[in-house]
């Protein structure tokens, strides 16, 4: 794709995103109000009421922030344990011939734990290849349902925080169970139904057939690890796997219920692929149109939530200012990534590769440079984690962008709900800094920002930094950490840093190059997911409760304006400053030094 | 409430240690999951007190 087409596509993408923000935001206002009315009420209303009756939920009863949080934690724990059980019992669950036609065995304990923690937190880090590991039952019941639930939980938390900001001297911030049911029934399920049909129309598969086998026109021999009689890999005296040749004359073509899972994978910013190649696989992303819609759906709900924020706090300008800050950060990241990927690798250029081709390593030729850079930026701005190119193969500074996006807390539109509540933490910090600069009591939309809110915001930012840097440091100095590396030097470090950034940010994309399906990696990455999700949500909910209880003071001449260009740039500055202070030293050791070594002629 | 939180935290940690010492990996992972979410509830109590 030439640059002009790239610019046109970017303009089209932003234009359509802007176009759907208000209508979807208006719809969210109805969905996130327990008494809201939608055009789906005649169909879904009875189902909603039946669900409340079966669950013993009083839809009119609201919860204190702590009760709301505990409900969310208990729900997450139960669904995580159910997911774990399904994965561990995959090989003996009913209807094997229909729902596990490949006869996949049950997952090992550490991989089940990692996957359950990953999907309950909306991370969808995958230490497995989907098409060679998961039965159709596991894909549909364990993973796809978690995609719905974890997305709904994120949106519910954001809605609770917005209610906390908007309410005047209130003790409650909504009802978690009502939010969960309404978001799932009225928002995610209907859109995903239409979305899945669209994906099928583009050529995505949706069936329960066993895998097909295609005969290779050119037979080849590959090296595979040798296993002993128990199926365990044989290792030599140095601990390296012993390889043996294997003749390959057929190729397995995956089948399965893919479209139904891919719809929520993108809309819910989950990102876990049905296949290992994720959205680079022709079945998971069949056409340029499906690629465009998939990218759009990643940002759709998060973008609409900014409109929801503006309307709920009776300051539409504030919602649009937050949207503008997100949009500018998105554009900055995309331009850097696009520039370095289009420029290519100077070492390859010196060897005669046409520099006009850019860096095509690890990229699907159907998508090329622009769509790969755009997808990588979008998927890491949001907490999606789906990929249509391999981030490990990006140029060092091109690869820095996805990494830094995640480390900013994924607040650039961000994950569904998670992006907004993360950005609101930065808003509180920005308002606090502005208050300090001008010597006024910090105030946000008529609510005084006091030490409690600032302490909770700092806690959120500390959890982010400590989870990423702590686990990365541990892996760097551990034998188990270094054993997983396939690249040395700064690139190997980047792989480790990316892995723990990805799980902490609940992104789930991998830099690749890291053998992560080991006891240590699976377990530490699972804890990275859990800490990055729940230890951040709890203080955010505490902020929601605290703000809800405060008296709403009408804005006066001394109030800090939270809409307009000044606020937008202050917010951008705060996000970048916090991100830079926390992570630039680590980034310097990884992609930055790798860039300079590349210029000096050294690759890793 | 503070004492209750500390006691709950200690119980969770001790129970986890016991399971780690004696359990199968499945029991360990399930117990650790429950302990983590238990600690999150204690963490919420702690946040409120800050």
């Amino acid at each position: 794709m030439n640059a002009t087409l790239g610019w046109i596509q970017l303009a089209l993408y932003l234009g359509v995103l802007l176009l759907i923000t208000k209508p979807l935001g208006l719809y969210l206002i109805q969905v996130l109000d327990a008494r809201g009315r939608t055009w789906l009420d005649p169909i879904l209303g009875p189902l909603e009421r039946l669900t409340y009756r079966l669950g013993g939920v009083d839809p009119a009863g609201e919860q204190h922030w702590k009760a709301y949080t505990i409900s969310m934690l208990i729900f997450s724990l139960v669904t995580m344990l159910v997911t774990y059980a399904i994965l561990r019992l995959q090989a003996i669950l009913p209807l094997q011939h229909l729902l596990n036609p490949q006869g996949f065995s049950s997952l090992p304990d550490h991989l089940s734990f990692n996957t359950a923690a990953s999907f309950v937190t909306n991370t969808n880090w995958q230490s497995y290849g989907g098409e060679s590991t998961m039965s159709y039952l596991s894909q549909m019941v364990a993973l796809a349902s978690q995609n719905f639930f974890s997305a709904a939980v994120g949106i519910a938390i954001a809605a609770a925080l917005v209610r906390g900001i908007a309410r005047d001297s209130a003790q409650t911030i909504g009802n978690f169970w009502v939010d969960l049911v309404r978001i799932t029934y009225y928002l995610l399920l209907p859109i995903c139904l239409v979305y899945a049909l669209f994906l099928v129309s583009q050529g995505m598969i949706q069936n329960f057939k066993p895998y097909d086998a295609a005969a290779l026109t050119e037979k080849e021999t590959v090296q595979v690890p040798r296993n002993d009689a128990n199926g365990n890999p044989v290792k030599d005296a140095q601990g390296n796997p012993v390889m043996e040749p294997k003749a390959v004359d057929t190729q397995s073509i995956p089948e399965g219920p893919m479209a139904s899972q891919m719809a929520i994978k993108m809309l819910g910013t989950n990102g876990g692929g049905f296949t290992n190649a994720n959205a680079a696989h022709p079945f998971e992303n069949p056409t340029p149109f499906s690629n465009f819609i998939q990218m759009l759906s990643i940002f759709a709900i998060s973008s609409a939530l900014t409109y929801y924020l503006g309307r709920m706090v009776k300051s539409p300008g504030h919602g649009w200012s937050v949207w503008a800050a997100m949009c500018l950060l998105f554009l900055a990241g995309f331009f850097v990534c696009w520039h370095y990927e289009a420029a290519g690798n100077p070492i390859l250029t010196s060897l005669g590769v046409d520099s006009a081709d850019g860096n095509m390593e690890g990229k699907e030729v159907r998508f090329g440079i622009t769509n790969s850079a755009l997808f990588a930026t979008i998927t890491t701005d949001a907490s999606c984690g789906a990929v249509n190119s391999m981030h490990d193969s990006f140029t060092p500074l091109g690869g820095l962008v996805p990494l830094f996006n995640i480390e900013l807390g994924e607040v650039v539109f961000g994950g569904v709900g998670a992006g907004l509540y993360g950005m609101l933490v930065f808003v509180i910090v920005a308002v606090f800094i502005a208050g300090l600069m001008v010597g006024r009591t910090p105030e946000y939309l008529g609510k005084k920002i006091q030490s409690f809110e600032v302490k909770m915001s700092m806690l959120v930012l500390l959890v982010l930094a400590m989870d990423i840097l702590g686990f990365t440091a541990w892996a760097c100095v551990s034998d188990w950490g270094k054993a997983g590396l396939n690249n040395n030097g700064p690139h190997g470090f980047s792989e480790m840093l990316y892995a723990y950034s990805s799980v902490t940010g609940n992104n789930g994309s991998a830099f690749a190059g890291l053998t992560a399906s080991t006891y240590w990696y699976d377990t530490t990455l699972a804890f990275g997911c859990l800490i990055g999700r729940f230890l951040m949500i709890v203080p955010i909910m505490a902020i929601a409760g605290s703000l809800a209880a405060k008296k709403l003071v009408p804005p006066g001449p001394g109030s800090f304006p939270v809409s307009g260009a000044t606020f937008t740039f202050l917010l951008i500055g705060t996000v970048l400053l916090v991100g830079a202070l926390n992570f630039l030293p680590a980034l310097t050791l990884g992609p930055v030094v790798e860039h300079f070594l590349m210029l000096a002629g050294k690759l890793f | 409430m503070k004492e209750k939180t500390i006691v709950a935290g200690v119980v969770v940690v001790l129970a986890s240690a016991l399971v780690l010492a004696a359990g199968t990996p499945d029991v360990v992972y399930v117990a650790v999951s429950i302990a983590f979410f238990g600690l999150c509830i204690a963490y919420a109590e702690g946040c409120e007190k800050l």
Side-chain angles (χ1 to χ4, degrees):
Chain A
M1 180 185 281
N2 63 37
T4 310
L5 284 175
W7 283 102
I8 292 171
Q9 175 160 333
L10 179 65
L12 189 66
Y13 180 79
L14 280 179
V16 177
L17 184 68
L18 195 58
L19 217 59
I20 61 172
T21 296
K22 185 176 175 182
L24 192 53
L26 287 169
Y27 185 68
L28 276 172
I29 291 169
Q30 296 303 317
V31 171
L32 296 173
D33 178 353
R35 289 159 298 174
R37 305 288 301 167
T38 75
W39 58 277
L40 288 167
D41 282 6
I43 308 162
L44 296 174
L47 185 63
E48 182 191 359
R49 288 189 287 277
L50 178 68
T51 309
Y52 294 147
R53 208 170 306 137
L54 290 174
V57 174
D58 172 16
E62 291 215 342
Q63 294 172 305
H64 182 260
W65 78 264
K66 225 159 49 179
Y68 195 105
T69 308
I70 290 171
S71 299
M72 180 274 299
L73 289 169
I74 291 171
F75 175 76
S76 299
L77 171 64
V78 171
T79 54
M80 180 177 163
L81 293 180
V82 170
T83 304
Y84 181 84
I86 291 172
L87 300 179
R88 289 291 287 143
L89 301 172
Q90 175 174 276
I92 57 170
L93 290 171
L95 298 172
Q96 287 285 311
H97 63 290
L98 178 68
L99 299 175
N100 188 10
Q102 301 312 117
F104 290 133
S105 57
S106 297
L107 272 67
D109 43 39
H110 56 92
L111 183 56
S112 300
F113 178 66
N114 178 282
T115 308
S118 173
F119 276 72
V120 81
T121 54
N122 200 260
T123 307
N124 300 28
W125 170 272
Q126 295 173 290
S127 285
Y128 60 87
E131 73 273 42
S132 57
T133 312
M134 292 292 175
S135 70
Y136 297 161
L137 182 84
S138 297
Q139 293 275 20
M140 290 189 301
V141 179
L143 306 186
S145 53
Q146 279 291 16
N147 286 351
F148 279 95
F149 293 145
S150 62
V153 166
I155 298 169
I157 298 297
L161 179 56
V162 172
R163 288 184 201 119
I165 296 165
R167 289 183 177 180
D168 186 5
S169 311
Q171 293 303 310
T172 59
I173 53 168
N175 183 317
F176 171 74
W177 304 108
V178 172
D179 286 340
L180 181 73
V181 168
R182 287 186 64 83
I183 293 164
T184 308
Y185 285 177
Y186 289 96
L187 181 69
L188 301 177
L189 277 171
I191 298 178
C192 284
L193 183 66
V194 178
Y195 192 0
L197 290 172
F198 160 77
L199 292 172
V200 170
S201 79
Q202 295 299 298
M204 191 176 286
I205 55 171
Q206 178 72 20
N207 60 47
F208 291 106
K209 287 177 10 186
Y211 290 6
D212 285 328
L216 292 182
T217 50
E218 258 182 60
K219 293 177 186 173
E220 56 182 284
T221 303
V222 296
Q223 295 292 317
V224 296
R226 180 189 294 169
N227 290 336
D228 62 18
N230 297 322
N232 298 317
V234 178
K235 295 194 173 177
D236 62 17
Q238 281 77 42
N240 299 317
V242 176
M243 308 300 278
E244 61 183 6
K246 185 183 176 188
V248 179
D249 55 9
T250 59
Q251 180 185 3
S252 182
I253 310 289
E255 301 284 354
M258 193 180 280
S260 53
Q261 185 160 328
M262 291 311 101
I264 186 62
K265 160 191 154 185
M266 294 302 188
L267 186 73
T269 61
N270 294 281
F274 196 96
T275 61
N276 202 24
N278 210 295
H281 194 288
F283 285 180
E284 269 195 62
N285 198 356
T287 64
F289 192 28
S290 74
N291 190 62
F292 182 83
I293 296 296
Q294 289 192 12
M295 290 192 294
L296 189 67
S297 59
I298 293 174
F299 274 178
I301 292 178
S302 301
S303 178
L305 276 168
T306 61
Y307 185 82
Y308 168 77
L309 166 73
R311 284 291 298 264
M312 290 298 289
V313 299
K314 298 186 175 57
S315 174
H318 176 56
W320 286 117
S321 296
V322 172
W323 190 93
M326 290 174 167
C327 187
L328 290 173
L329 284 166
F330 156 64
L331 287 173
F334 169 62
F335 289 141
V336 173
C337 188
W338 190 17
H339 168 77
Y340 283 103
E341 291 311 296
N345 183 332
I347 297 175
L348 293 180
T349 307
S350 68
L351 293 172
V353 176
D354 187 355
S355 63
D357 291 339
N359 174 34
M360 278 302 289
E361 183 195 313
K363 292 187 175 61
E364 165 60 273
V365 289
R366 294 180 299 141
F367 303 130
I369 300 286
T370 310
N371 267 308
S372 299
L374 189 58
F375 201 110
T377 310
I378 291 167
T379 200
T380 50
D381 278 336
S383 71
C384 185
V387 294
N388 76 353
S389 59
M390 299 301 113
H391 298 180
D392 193 41
S393 293
F394 278 28
T395 57
L397 295 186
L400 181 145
V401 171
L403 183 53
F404 193 51
N405 281 342
I406 299 172
E407 289 171 346
L408 289 179
E410 291 170 330
V411 294
V412 184
F413 295 105
V416 284
L420 182 64
Y421 65 65
M423 191 54 126
L424 289 176
V425 167
F426 281 108
V427 169
I428 289 171
V429 176
V431 168
F432 176 67
I433 291 171
L436 287 181
M437 286 194 295
V438 297
R440 286 181 189 155
T441 305
E443 185 189 307
Y444 174 46
L445 292 165
K447 298 280 177 87
K448 283 197 165 48
I449 300 298
Q450 293 167 304
S451 67
F452 181 78
E453 289 79 30
V454 177
K455 276 191 268 187
M456 291 299 106
S457 301
M458 288 300 114
L459 200 51
V460 173
L461 298 175
L462 278 173
V463 168
L464 175 73
M466 289 180 72
D467 197 13
I468 293 173
L469 298 176
F471 274 122
T472 305
W474 186 13
C476 282
V477 296
S478 305
D479 290 337
W480 60 263
K482 287 180 280 189
L485 287 176
N486 290 322
N487 297 89
N488 57 12
H491 196 78
F493 175 74
S494 296
E495 288 169 354
M496 281 181 182
L497 180 64
Y498 194 103
Y500 289 105
S501 301
S502 177
V503 293
T504 302
N506 298 150
N507 184 277
S509 66
F511 213 48
L514 193 66
T515 306
S517 191
T518 62
Y519 261 103
W520 276 103
Y521 266 118
D522 274 342
T523 306
T524 54
L525 289 166
F527 274 106
C529 296
L530 293 169
I531 292 168
R533 175 79 161 183
F534 297 109
L535 295 197
M536 288 195 205
I537 283 181
V538 169
I540 285 168
M541 293 303 290
I543 293 172
S546 168
L547 289 177
K550 290 189 180 191
K551 194 167 167 47
L552 204 56
V553 182
S559 302
F560 180 72
V562 287
S563 47
T566 306
F567 172 74
T568 296
F569 284 105
L570 177 69
L571 186 56
I572 291 172
T574 306
V575 171
L576 290 177
L577 196 65
V578 171
L581 288 174
N582 280 335
F583 297 108
L584 267 190
L587 291 169
T588 306
L589 293 173
V592 174
V593 76
E594 190 184 351
H595 171 73
F596 287 114
L597 288 170
M598 179 184 76
L599 295 181
K602 189 167 171 56
L603 293 177
F604 295 92
Chain B
M1 185 52 87
K2 190 179 176 187
E3 290 77 11
K4 264 197 217 168
T5 308
I6 293 169
V7 170
V10 170
V11 169
V12 166
V13 171
L14 285 179
S16 307
L18 199 67
V19 171
L20 280 168
T24 65
D26 282 318
V27 176
V28 171
Y29 279 126
V30 171
V32 162
S33 304
I34 295 169
F36 176 82
F37 282 93
L39 284 172
C40 282
I41 294 173
Y43 176 59
E45 295 279 358
C47 281
E48 195 178 36
K49 299 283 176 288
L50 271 176

